[in-house]
Amino acid sequence: MPPPIDIKRFEQLKAVGDLPSPRGVAIAIIRLTQSADVSMAELARVIKSDPAFVGRLIKAANGLVAENRRAVVSVQEALMVLGLPAVRTLALGFSLLSNYRKGACEGFDYGRFWSSSLLMALSMQALVQRVRVVPADEAFSLGLLARVGELALATLYPADFSRLLKEVARSPQLRQLDLEQTAFAMTHCELGAAMLIDWGVPTQLVNPVLCFERPELADFAEGSREAGLVQCLVLSRAIAQLCLAPESEQARLMPAMLQLAGRLGLPRGDFVSLCERIAREWSEWGKLLQIGTARAPAFGNLCAADETESEPAASAADPTMTQPGSDMPVLIVAGDASERAHMRVLLEESGFSVHEQADYTQAIESAIDVQPCLLLVDWSGENCGASLVRALRTTRFGRTLHILALLDADDDGLLEEAAAAGADDFILRPIRPAALAVRLRAGRRTVTLQRELEREREELRHFAAELSISNRRLQEAAMTDALTGIPNRRFAIDRIQMEWAAAARHSRPLSVMLVDLDGFKEINDAHGHDVGDIALRQISATLRGALRAQDVICRTGGDEFLVICPDTDLSAALGCAERLRSAAHDMPIDTGGPRVRLTVSVGVAMREPSMANADALIKLADRGAFLAKERGRNCVMSAQVVHATS
C-alpha cells in the first residue's frame, strides 16, 4: 500500500495557509453535485451561468463519445455522458486552472505546469479507454489534478519552493520529493492526495496519485485497479515530459516511454496512434483553455529511430565495450586552443569524455550543462581560475568536483592561492603525459570513492524513508479503530484540541456531536458479539457516509461516536445530525442471519466563548445525548437549544 498521508500536517496547512481552492460558479456546482436530490435541470441552470465552463464541459463530453455517434451539443447531454462525480471534479480542476495561472513563486513555471497537467489529463483519458481501469471521465480529471500538490506548495511557500526548484535544476541528482519532505514536512504528492480527499475524490483514485512519482512504494495487488492506475499515471507523465521536452531530447525519452506502454499491453503502432491523437487534442484544448502548447513531436519517426538504434544500443551496453573512465566527463577551461587540443588527446587516450571551454565567463554554465567529474583549469596570466573555482565550490555538484589547476611554475604563492580557492591538485607546464596520467588516476580514484559513498548515503536515505513510512503506518494504526476502520478515541482527542485552537484563533464556529447507538447492548446479549461487530461496522460506514467532507467521526467507546464539525454553527450541526439520525434509522443491517436494526441518539453542542476548553464542549454534547435518550431515543437534542427555550 502507498505511504499514509499525514492528515494532521495537512489540517495545519489548511488551517493557516491559503491552499488552492475552487471559486465562483465552481463552488456552486460542487455543492449541488454533493446533494443527493439535485436535479439535472437545476445543475444545468447553474452551469449555463458560466459560458467558459459550458464549452469545456461539452468538449470533455465529446472526448468520450464514440466516433460514429452524434456529437454532444448541449449541457444536458454533457451531464448525461459525464455523470455528476466527473462534472464536480471537472468544475474543480477548471476553476483552479482559471484562478492559478500565475503566482508569486518565481521558480515555478505555471504555464508549463498547466500544459503538462492538460497532457496528463488527455493521456489518462486515452489510456484508460484501452486498459479500462476506471471510467474515462474520472481519468481525465485525475490526470489534470495529479500534480496539484506542486501548485499548492508554490502557493503556500513561494520563496522557499522557488529556491528548492532552483536547487533541483542545478543538481539533477537530487530528489525533489526528499527536499520537499525536509523543507515542508510533506511532499507535493502527499499534499496533493490530501487535497483530493478533502475535495471528495474517492480513496481508490487518490492512492495511485500518492505514489505514481515513486512507483516502487506502490504495493497494490497485481491486476488491481490501483496498480493499473499507477501504470497509466506513470506513462501519462512520461508522455507529457516528452511532448514538452526540447526536440533534441525527445529521442532519448522515447525508449523508456515505449517500455512503459509495453507493460500496459499496448502495441507500438497502437501506442504511436494514441500519442498522435493526444497531441492533436492537446493543441485543441490549449486553444480552448488559453494554455500554451508546443509543436507535437513526430512520434512515428521517434519510434522508428528507436527500432533502428535498439540493436547498437544493446551492444553499447556491453561492459566489455565500455572504456574505463568513459562515464567520467572532464571539462577543460583554458584560453590556448592548442593546449586544449593536446590535453584532449591525452585525456581521451585514458578513456575520458572531454569537453572544452575557452571563455571563463561561460565556464560555469558549461560546467552546469556537462556536470563533469574532473575539471582542468588554467591558472596563468589574467585568467580567472580562482574566481571560477570558488563559484563552482558553492554549488552542490561543484563541492564533489575534482579540480586540477594548470600552473606555469612550481610557485608556493600560486599553490596557496589554488588551494585556498578550492583546487584539489595541480600540474605544471609543460605537461608531461606520465605526470598527467598519475593525477588522472588519483582523480578517478577520488571520484569513484565519492560515488560509492553517495550510493551508501542513498541506501541510508532509502532505509530512512522506509523507516519513516513504517512509523507512519504504526502511527496511523495507533489512531484507527481496528473494528470499524474509523479514527479512534486517541485521534479524537488530538483532533478536537487542534480544531478548538483554530476556532479560538480565527473566531470560527465549531460544533460537535455525541452519537450513542440505541439498543446495541441488547443485540450483543441476544445474538452474540459477532453479530454486534457486524452491526457496528455497518452502522459506522453509514454514519461516515451521511456526514460532510469536512466532518470527522471517531469511535470513542463501545457504542459511542464523536463527530467534529469545523466551521459549523449550531443550526447547521443540528441539520447534519438529523441527516445522520435518518440515515441510521433507514439502514437495514445485513448480518447474514438474524435481522437487527439500530437507531442513534445524537447530542449536539457548539463552542461558546465562555467555555474553558474542548472537554466542556464535549460534556455539553453528552448532555444533549442524555436528553435524547430521555426523550425516547432515535432523536437529536441540544442542551443549548433546550436552555434557550426554557
Side-chain angles (χ1 to χ4, degrees):
M1 292 299 292
I5 302 169
D6 189 345
I7 295 297
K8 181 179 286 189
R9 174 60 177 156
F10 172 69
E11 292 298 340
Q12 291 171 347
L13 294 176
K14 186 179 175 183
V16 303
D18 185 21
L19 283 170
S21 58
R23 300 177 187 173
V25 173
I27 296 177
I29 294 171
I30 292 168
R31 286 174 179 166
L32 275 178
T33 53
Q34 289 172 336
S35 173
D37 55 355
V38 62
S39 68
M40 286 293 186
E42 185 180 8
L43 183 57
R45 180 180 57 78
V46 173
I47 290 172
K48 287 176 182 177
S49 66
D50 185 350
F53 184 61
V54 168
R56 297 165 185 179
L57 193 70
I58 292 175
K59 173 74 175 171
N62 278 311
L64 301 178
V65 298
E67 292 183 1
N68 58 348
R69 282 188 55 187
R70 183 176 63 84
V72 172
V73 295
S74 70
V75 172
Q76 285 83 353
E77 287 180 297
L79 291 176
M80 292 178 65
V81 170
L82 294 168
L84 296 188
V87 172
R88 180 175 63 244
T89 314
L90 285 171
L92 169 64
F94 290 139
S95 175
L96 294 178
L97 190 154
S98 297
N99 293 294
Y100 293 89
R101 290 181 181 272
K102 57 184 179 179
C105 185
E106 294 181 0
F108 185 70
D109 190 334
Y110 291 85
R112 185 182 178 87
F113 169 81
W114 284 117
S115 192
S116 173
S117 298
L118 177 58
L119 274 164
M120 285 192 65
L122 295 167
S123 300
M124 285 294 293
Q125 179 178 274
L127 288 171
V128 301
Q129 287 175 329
R130 301 295 183 95
V131 299
R132 305 203 179 273
V133 286
V134 294
D137 48 4
E138 291 184 1
F140 183 94
S141 303
L142 197 65
L144 189 65
L145 297 173
R147 293 172 51 233
V148 72
E150 284 194 285
L151 179 67
L153 288 178
T155 305
L156 290 171
Y157 306 106
D160 293 335
F161 193 51
S162 181
R163 283 193 292 270
L164 184 149
L165 292 176
K166 289 176 181 177
E167 186 174 3
V168 172
R170 287 195 301 267
S171 305
Q173 73 273 18
L174 296 177
R175 296 187 68 159
Q176 181 176 329
L177 295 177
D178 293 338
L179 295 180
E180 288 174 354
Q181 186 65 52
T182 301
F184 311 120
M186 201 173 204
T187 68
H188 72 261
C189 295
E190 295 166 335
L191 180 53
M195 292 168 69
L196 292 177
I197 290 174
D198 193 52
W199 289 330
V201 177
T203 306
Q204 295 91 337
L205 300 182
V206 174
N207 282 337
V209 171
L210 182 58
C211 56
F212 84 94
E213 291 192 46
R214 297 185 69 174
E216 69 274 9
L217 300 181
D219 190 23
F220 301 117
E222 183 99 18
S224 67
R225 180 167 68 168
E226 288 87 351
L229 270 176
V230 169
Q231 288 183 299
C232 288
L233 283 165
V234 171
L235 181 52
S236 296
R237 181 77 188 278
I239 294 171
Q241 288 175 330
L242 187 143
C243 288
L244 291 170
E247 191 172 342
S248 59
E249 286 289 304
Q250 291 172 355
R252 181 181 63 81
L253 297 173
M254 191 67 181
M257 198 169 78
L258 290 170
Q259 188 176 19
L260 291 170
R263 291 177 188 168
L264 279 173
L266 297 174
R268 284 195 174 203
D270 290 353
F271 180 62
V272 167
S273 298
L274 181 143
C275 289
E276 290 172 345
R277 182 184 124 202
I278 291 169
R280 288 194 301 271
E281 293 180 347
W282 180 39
S283 177
E284 294 171 4
W285 271 101
K287 294 173 184 174
L288 180 65
L289 300 175
Q290 297 181 330
I291 292 176
T293 58
R295 188 175 66 177
F299 290 103
N301 295 340
L302 292 173
C303 186
D306 176 70
E307 289 175 349
T308 303
E309 295 173 5
S310 58
E311 186 175 348
S315 300
D318 185 352
T320 62
M321 299 294 290
T322 304
Q323 299 211 16
S326 61
D327 62 337
M328 293 188 181
V330 179
L331 177 62
I332 303 171
V333 181
D336 189 325
S338 60
E339 189 170 53
R340 292 199 310 273
H342 177 55
M343 286 190 286
R344 170 183 281 275
V345 171
L346 296 176
L347 288 163
E348 288 179 343
E349 286 176 355
S350 297
F352 289 95
S353 171
V354 183
H355 305 265
E356 299 178 25
Q357 179 56 255
D359 188 345
Y360 279 68
T361 61
Q362 299 295 319
I364 293 181
E365 291 184 17
S366 297
I368 292 173
D369 290 339
V370 173
Q371 297 279 307
C373 296
L374 288 91
L375 174 71
L376 271 72
V377 55
D378 184 3
W379 216 272
S380 63
E382 299 298 322
N383 292 323
C384 307
S387 59
L388 170 62
V389 172
R390 288 194 187 96
L392 286 171
R393 288 304 193 199
T394 62
T395 65
R396 182 177 289 271
F397 88 89
R399 288 197 287 272
T400 61
L401 188 59
H402 190 81
I403 299 176
L404 286 174
L406 184 59
L407 304 178
D408 283 329
D410 190 2
D411 182 277
D412 288 346
L414 284 176
L415 289 174
E416 289 177 4
E417 178 188 309
D424 297 293
D425 204 346
F426 70 97
I427 188 166
L428 298 177
R429 289 188 179 93
I431 298 173
R432 292 182 297 139
L436 181 60
V438 170
R439 261 56 174 198
L440 292 176
R441 278 197 294 271
R444 181 182 291 143
R445 187 163 51 248
T446 300
V447 170
T448 301
L449 289 172
Q450 286 174 342
R451 288 181 173 179
E452 290 175 359
L453 180 60
E454 184 56 37
R455 278 194 293 270
E456 291 176 0
R457 287 175 177 166
E458 183 60 33
E459 288 176 3
L460 287 174
R461 283 194 291 266
H462 183 66
F463 175 75
E466 290 182 340
L467 184 61
S468 175
I469 292 167
S470 298
N471 287 338
R472 287 190 185 182
R473 287 176 177 164
L474 289 172
Q475 184 180 25
E476 184 181 36
M479 293 285 192
T480 303
D481 177 56
L483 177 63
T484 62
I486 65 176
N488 59 15
R489 181 180 182 83
R490 181 178 173 186
F491 180 93
I493 293 171
D494 287 350
R495 183 58 177 267
I496 191 64
Q497 295 296 339
M498 184 178 70
E499 294 294 350
W500 179 274
R505 183 168 58 249
H506 300 291
S507 299
R508 295 174 179 169
L510 172 65
S511 296
V512 299
M513 307 177 206
L514 204 71
V515 183
D516 231 345
L517 303 186
D518 301 327
F520 181 68
K521 183 178 184 300
E522 288 81 353
I523 291 176
N524 274 337
D525 292 344
H527 305 292
H529 287 279
D530 53 342
V531 173
D533 287 349
I534 293 172
L536 194 57
R537 281 195 291 267
Q538 292 186 25
I539 197 71
S540 298
T542 298
L543 295 177
R544 180 164 51 181
L547 293 170
R548 303 167 304 172
Q550 69 263 39
D551 299 330
V552 180
I553 183 169
C554 310
R555 185 186 177 198
T556 54
D559 60 351
E560 190 176 272
F561 298 82
L562 177 69
V563 181
I564 305 168
C565 306
D567 295 316
T568 306
D569 60 20
L570 186 59
S571 175
L574 286 168
C576 186
E578 177 56 32
R579 186 170 64 250
L580 186 147
R581 183 209 63 78
S582 177
H585 178 268
D586 296 340
M587 185 200 74
I589 296 175
D590 181 12
T591 66
R595 301 185 58 153
V596 298
R597 297 190 76 87
L598 275 174
T599 60
V600 296
S601 298
V602 187
V604 184
M606 183 182 76
R607 176 184 176 275
E608 295 177 346
S610 59
M611 290 179 179
N613 49 41
D615 289 339
L617 177 61
I618 295 173
K619 286 179 181 177
L620 193 59
D622 191 34
R623 173 65 179 161
F626 178 77
L627 292 172
K629 293 282 188 183
E630 279 193 331
R631 190 175 177 178
R633 303 182 176 185
N634 190 25
C635 62
V636 175
M637 294 292 291
S638 171
Q640 287 164 304
V641 174
V642 172
H643 178 73
T645 57
S646 61

